[in-house]
Amino acid sequence: MEAKAFPMNGGDGAYSYTKNSYYQRAASYAVKEMLEEAITEKFDITSLSSSSNTIRIADLGCSVGPNTFITMQNLIESMERKCHSQDCTTMPEFHLFFNDHASNDFNTLFNSLPPDRHYFAAGVPGSFHGRLFPKSSLHFVHSSCALHWLSRVPEDLLDKSSPAWNKGRIHYTNSSEQVANAYANQFAKDMEVFLDARADEIAVGGMMVVIMPALPDGVRLTQDVICVFFDILEQSVVDMVKLGSISEAELDSFNLPLYVPSLKEMTQLGQSNGCFSIESVELTDPLSKMVGPLNVRAVVMHFRAGLEGILSKHFGSEIIDELFERTLDKSAEFSSRFESCCSKDTQLFLVLKRK
Amino acid sequence: MEAKAFPMNGGDGAYSYTKNSYYQRAASYAVKEMLEEAITEKFDITSLSSSSNTIRIADLGCSVGPNTFITMQNLIESMERKCHSQDCTTMPEFHLFFNDHASNDFNTLFNSLPPDRHYFAAGVPGSFHGRLFPKSSLHFVHSSCALHWLSRVPEDLLDKSSPAWNKGRIHYTNSSEQVANAYANQFAKDMEVFLDARADEIAVGGMMVVIMPALPDGVRLTQDVICVFFDILEQSVVDMVKLGSISEAELDSFNLPLYVPSLKEMTQLGQSNGCFSIESVELTDPLSKMVGPLNVRAVVMHFRAGLEGILSKHFGSEIIDELFERTLDKSAEFSSRFESCCSKDTQLFLVLKRK
């Protein structure tokens, strides 16, 4: 079964991903130094580029930019510095592969490629829950804000006879343990497929950096800032069901295919594949570098850019404006819950090396 | 100066390239056997794939499909047969790069990739009049119906003080020798840049096949079927200038950036680079495999899909329907001139090997 595609909003309009990837940008800034450190300390550019004088890099789940361009630029500058520090005789050439689902807006991506880039660029359409590249062809894989998307909604959530039927909810945040387990099992299957594919594609000695939302061990999702938005969005959907603009059946048949693993879960999944060593794993607060109070409007618009596709496909595009207006109306609740959350270290930075 | 992009019509509507690439499809059928023969006789797949067990193939100027998919499929089947015939122990993996200008409709291309393909696919945005890939990274380059597009209109054609000023015309078919020379010089410059870039990118022993319109030696363009369409399109533009829907200045400032070299010209350009051996060069009639009388409507629609972008950019999109209706009204003249042309061998098949 082909993995489902839930593309970010394309183009460059008011609700586009390009103009509303504020959170992801904050996330990129927060990890810039960590990425640089990982390359400086663990990426052996000289031996990896020795056979073809080329370093091949993939960004999996790149969306439409500009974050992917900023991160790739930083990445290449770090590699160039590493190369100089290793006194390599010739600078390798860099071949960059921007990957996302075929339904991602690659036209926008391609037309906004930085004109002064120091690399050869290619787009790779397809799900990263499967093979995308020839064997041992990649030297560095980067994936940011993408792996928490499940390849599909777990089937049990829609099965009325299953204890994991997720009636009246759009996510597992406040649901039963069975619902949470169905999400966790799907995520584990997806990660197994993902890691198997990357183990095939990454050359021995090559590196993979995964950045995604995750929970500190022992913290439940309801205690974490990540769940605040899902809760409030769910409330807005439920309000609209009460008012009749969304039917109960439509609510019952919808589940957001997003999962937030714990640090321990991710570490175990990374180890169980057997082809990778875990070089480093860390949780940070992605918003720690942001100045001033939380801009709730920007956060909601960010989620709109990412979720409008999947929401309008299920509920119809005519309800989208109202849904997000209702969500914005809950800004005060949003801010207060956000401030009172015990856990703000929500961003995983995981470095794996191909053994 | 960045090469100009004149993309084919995107999407899959009535005037799209996807639905109107009849001529190019005929051309693909005509060369299928020639391509297979070139691979069987001259492509050493075993030694080219020995280091990485991967064969990297680029289709330069691929447009939006489906022709590129059909040709690439044939190409890979030929390579697989060649591999079997050489008793290679493991079949290499195939990495395919579909290249065209960044303004090409890659979204359509990516969404119509054959689901059962035996290769990893990537899109490469950018002009082939320049570097697109790392050094020595390609094993096979294919380019069909693309290299006759000049990177830009020669400047002299627009200079009133130049003997090559192309007043009252849209092409060099019926123009002075100076105009024809300006086109030829631009083409020679473009080919030099193109071949230099490919010499960098193609690994030693790798192959390049170029398919494009060309003239037999000693045949003038006015004697060839290729010019019939340009002549008739020019007549339609001139008619519209007389009627006032296009201004004289607009006509004088427009020139189609298309050039048809002779067999001898192409051979000399191929040799002058110095990095390639010419393995085979041939001119054929691309329509020889078509049954029945020429379908003028289909030919005109084919040209519309290819030229609408550049024509509407210059003259405005509001004149396009009338321009092509007027061109279609001249079908009878089109057919009779077509039938009486002395030369119908208009398609060059050139095989180069990287020394």
Side-chain angles (χ1 to χ4, degrees):
Chain A
M1 191 174 146
E2 175 84 2
K4 290 273 168 48
F6 310 110
M8 305 298 103
N9 279 353
D12 58 2
Y15 299 121
S16 64
Y17 179 87
T18 298
K19 294 237 170 103
N20 292 288
S21 37
Y22 150 96
Y23 178 90
Q24 289 90 332
R25 195 144 341 139
S28 312
Y29 289 138
V31 299
K32 185 174 184 284
E33 284 166 33
M34 295 163 84
L35 203 50
E36 184 163 343
E37 196 182 303
I39 289 164
T40 308
E41 291 180 9
K42 322 246 181 184
F43 189 70
D44 188 354
I45 190 164
T46 312
S47 77
L48 286 166
S49 65
S50 63
S51 67
S52 65
N53 205 38
T54 302
I55 291 291
R56 282 182 290 270
I57 301 167
D59 189 21
L60 305 182
C62 65
S63 188
V64 290
N67 296 334
T68 185
F69 302 130
I70 298 167
T71 308
M72 291 303 107
Q73 186 59 37
N74 292 337
L75 196 66
I76 285 176
E77 285 171 10
S78 300
M79 291 188 182
E80 286 173 340
R81 274 193 296 273
K82 173 78 185 230
C83 200
H84 283 304
S85 78
Q86 289 193 333
D87 289 328
C88 52
T89 45
T90 34
M91 184 62 73
E93 293 186 308
F94 297 98
H95 204 182
L96 250 74
F97 296 90
F98 295 94
N99 157 259
D100 213 313
H101 287 287
S103 51
N104 182 53
D105 186 355
F106 279 96
N107 287 349
T108 296
L109 180 80
F110 285 173
N111 283 293
S112 42
L113 275 164
D116 57 347
R117 60 193 182 271
H118 287 197
Y119 53 82
F120 299 106
V124 175
S127 165
F128 52 53
H129 294 114
R131 285 284 301 280
L132 295 164
F133 299 93
K135 275 198 180 119
S136 306
S137 65
L138 298 177
H139 306 109
F140 195 97
V141 170
H142 173 267
S143 179
S144 179
C145 299
L147 266 174
H148 58 305
W149 283 92
L150 298 177
S151 69
R152 58 186 59 85
V153 170
E155 284 169 24
D156 285 353
L157 303 184
L158 303 175
D159 177 0
K160 288 186 186 178
S161 66
S162 162
W165 183 36
N166 200 21
K167 183 175 168 50
R169 302 215 167 268
I170 66 168
H171 197 235
Y172 66 97
T173 315
N174 296 300
S175 296
S176 67
E177 207 180 313
Q178 286 89 341
V179 170
N181 286 343
Y183 269 89
N185 291 338
Q186 183 63 50
F187 181 74
K189 273 186 225 161
D190 285 350
M191 277 303 294
E192 194 186 328
V193 173
F194 175 87
L195 289 168
D196 282 351
R198 302 299 84 78
D200 279 346
E201 295 166 354
I202 300 176
V204 168
M207 192 180 268
M208 174 156 67
V209 169
V210 171
I211 296 146
M212 67 180 290
L215 295 172
D217 295 333
V219 170
R220 286 181 55 85
L221 187 56
T222 47
Q223 298 171 292
D224 197 278
V225 290
I226 296 177
C227 77
V228 178
F229 175 79
F230 298 129
D231 268 11
I232 288 179
L233 184 73
E234 186 171 276
Q235 281 175 31
S236 304
V237 175
V238 170
D239 289 348
M240 289 174 74
V241 170
K242 285 181 191 149
L243 293 165
S245 43
I246 291 177
S247 77
E248 215 178 312
E250 277 177 309
L251 165 56
D252 291 348
S253 57
F254 181 77
N255 293 283
L256 280 172
L258 293 166
Y259 181 74
V260 183
S262 71
L263 197 61
K264 194 174 159 193
E265 245 178 310
M266 272 305 283
T267 314
Q268 282 173 346
L269 288 166
Q271 275 162 341
S272 67
N273 170 281
C275 292
F276 294 98
S277 61
I278 295 181
E279 298 290 315
S280 131
V281 58
E282 215 172 320
L283 265 185
T284 56
D285 177 358
L287 303 181
S288 62
K289 302 241 162 150
M290 293 203 334
V291 178
L294 183 75
N295 181 341
V296 175
R297 185 172 190 91
V299 172
V300 172
M301 292 299 269
H302 143 70
F303 277 108
R304 176 169 180 160
L307 300 178
E308 181 166 341
I310 187 170
L311 289 166
S312 60
K313 197 172 172 186
H314 184 83
F315 294 110
S317 54
E318 63 285 358
I319 64 113
I320 297 297
D321 282 339
E322 186 184 339
L323 181 61
F324 282 94
E325 275 156 30
R326 287 181 175 277
T327 306
L328 270 178
D329 287 345
K330 299 182 175 75
S331 291
E333 185 190 342
F334 202 118
S335 294
S336 80
R337 283 192 55 186
F338 192 90
E339 295 306 328
S340 68
C341 265
C342 70
S343 162
K344 285 180 184 152
D345 285 343
T346 58
Q347 181 165 273
L348 176 73
F349 187 87
L350 173 65
V351 182
L352 302 171
K353 203 167 188 175
R354 179 72 169 89
K355 290 194 277 197
Chain B
M1 191 173 145
E2 175 83 2
K4 287 273 169 48
F6 311 110
M8 306 298 103
N9 278 353
D12 59 0
Y15 299 121
S16 64
Y17 179 86
T18 298
K19 295 237 168 101
N20 291 289
S21 37
Y22 150 96
Y23 177 89
Q24 289 91 333
R25 194 145 340 137
S28 312
Y29 290 138
V31 299
K32 185 174 183 287
E33 285 166 33
M34 294 163 85
L35 203 50
E36 185 164 343
E37 197 182 303
I39 289 164
T40 309
E41 292 180 8
K42 322 246 180 184
F43 189 70
D44 187 355
I45 189 164
T46 312
S47 75
L48 285 167
S49 65
S50 62
S51 66
S52 66
N53 205 39
T54 302
I55 291 290
R56 283 182 290 270
I57 301 167
D59 190 21
L60 305 182
C62 63
S63 190
V64 289
N67 295 334
T68 185
F69 303 130
I70 299 166
T71 307
M72 291 303 105
Q73 187 58 36
N74 292 337
L75 196 64
I76 285 177
E77 285 170 10
S78 300
M79 290 187 183
E80 286 173 340
R81 275 194 295 273
K82 174 77 187 236
C83 199
H84 283 304
S85 77
Q86 288 193 333
D87 288 328
C88 51
T89 46
T90 35
M91 184 63 71
E93 293 185 309
F94 296 98
H95 204 183
L96 249 75
F97 296 90
F98 295 94
N99 156 259
D100 213 313
H101 287 286
S103 51
N104 182 53
D105 187 355
F106 278 95
N107 288 349
T108 296
L109 179 81
F110 285 172
N111 283 293
S112 42
L113 275 164
D116 58 347
R117 59 192 183 271
H118 287 196
Y119 53 82
F120 299 105
V124 175
S127 164
F128 51 53
H129 293 114
R131 285 283 301 280
L132 294 164
F133 299 93
K135 276 198 179 120
S136 306
S137 66
L138 299 176
H139 305 109
F140 195 97
V141 169
H142 173 267
S143 179
S144 179
C145 299
L147 266 174
H148 57 306
W149 283 91
L150 298 177
S151 68
R152 58 186 59 87
V153 170
E155 284 169 24
D156 286 353
L157 302 182
L158 304 174
D159 177 359
K160 287 186 186 176
S161 66
S162 162
W165 184 37
N166 200 19
K167 183 174 170 49
R169 302 214 168 269
I170 66 167
H171 196 234
Y172 66 94
T173 316
N174 295 299
S175 295
S176 66
E177 209 180 311
Q178 286 89 341
V179 170
N181 286 344
Y183 269 88
N185 291 339
Q186 183 63 50
F187 180 74
K189 272 185 227 163
D190 285 350
M191 279 301 295
E192 193 186 329
V193 172
F194 175 87
L195 290 168
D196 282 350
R198 303 298 85 76
D200 279 346
E201 294 166 354
I202 301 176
V204 170
M207 193 181 265
M208 174 157 66
V209 169
V210 171
I211 296 146
M212 67 179 290
L215 296 172
D217 296 333
V219 170
R220 287 180 56 86
L221 188 56
T222 47
Q223 298 170 295
D224 197 278
V225 290
I226 296 176
C227 79
V228 176
F229 174 79
F230 299 129
D231 268 12
I232 288 177
L233 183 73
E234 184 171 277
Q235 280 174 35
S236 304
V237 175
V238 170
D239 289 349
M240 288 174 76
V241 171
K242 282 179 193 151
L243 292 164
S245 42
I246 291 176
S247 76
E248 215 178 313
E250 279 176 308
L251 165 55
D252 291 347
S253 56
F254 181 77
N255 293 282
L256 280 170
L258 293 166
Y259 181 73
V260 183
S262 71
L263 197 62
K264 194 174 158 193
E265 245 176 311
M266 272 305 281
T267 315
Q268 282 173 344
L269 288 166
Q271 277 162 338
S272 67
N273 171 280
C275 291
F276 294 99
S277 61
I278 295 180
E279 298 290 316
S280 131
V281 57
E282 217 172 317
L283 265 184
T284 57
D285 177 358
L287 302 179
S288 63
K289 301 241 162 150
M290 294 203 334
V291 178
L294 183 76
N295 182 340
V296 175
R297 185 171 190 90
V299 171
V300 172
M301 292 299 267
H302 142 71
F303 278 109
R304 177 169 179 160
L307 300 179
E308 182 166 340
I310 186 170
L311 289 166
S312 60
K313 196 171 172 188
H314 184 85
F315 294 111
S317 55
E318 63 284 358
I319 65 111
I320 297 297
D321 283 340
E322 185 184 340
L323 180 61
F324 281 95
E325 275 157 29
R326 286 182 176 276
T327 305
L328 270 177
D329 287 345
K330 299 182 174 75
S331 290
E333 184 190 343
F334 201 119
S335 295
S336 81
R337 283 192 54 187
F338 193 90
E339 295 306 329
S340 67
C341 265
C342 69
S343 160
K344 284 179 185 153
D345 286 343
T346 59
Q347 183 164 272
L348 176 74
F349 187 87
L350 173 66
V351 181
L352 303 171
K353 204 167 188 175
R354 179 70 169 90
K355 289 195 276 197

